[in-house]
Amino acid sequence: MQLTRSTALALQQEGKAAFEAGDPADSSPYSRFGNAEQQFGYQFWTRGYITARSAAEGAQEPAGASAGR
């Protein structure tokens, strides 16, 4: 694996796709404690997963929530 920007973007897309498929957050195929390539994969896969989860959670929040006035 080449540790490049295009690889990082592809790994983020993998993470997003995993979230959309309903996979759990710990289903990353990369090791957090492995060699440099595995850590790189884990970091960007997880970043994509978290981005997708955050977007989904943000879309579920009610718009125009009141402060009780």
Side-chain angles (χ1 to χ4, degrees):
M1 170 187 324
Q2 293 182 357
L3 309 182
T4 63
R5 180 183 168 110
S6 60
T7 304
L9 293 174
L11 290 166
Q12 287 180 354
Q13 289 301 323
E14 282 183 29
K16 288 178 183 178
F19 175 79
E20 291 169 1
D23 294 342
D26 62 354
S27 66
S28 173
Y30 306 98
S31 173
R32 180 178 179 186
F33 303 108
N35 62 22
E37 289 182 354
Q38 286 291 310
Q39 290 178 16
F40 182 85
Y42 178 84
Q43 177 183 358
F44 286 99
W45 186 95
T46 303
R47 186 176 294 175
Y49 189 95
I50 291 170
T51 300
R53 183 178 64 198
S54 296
E57 289 172 353
Q60 293 175 358
E61 294 196 15
S66 172
R69 254 189 185 203

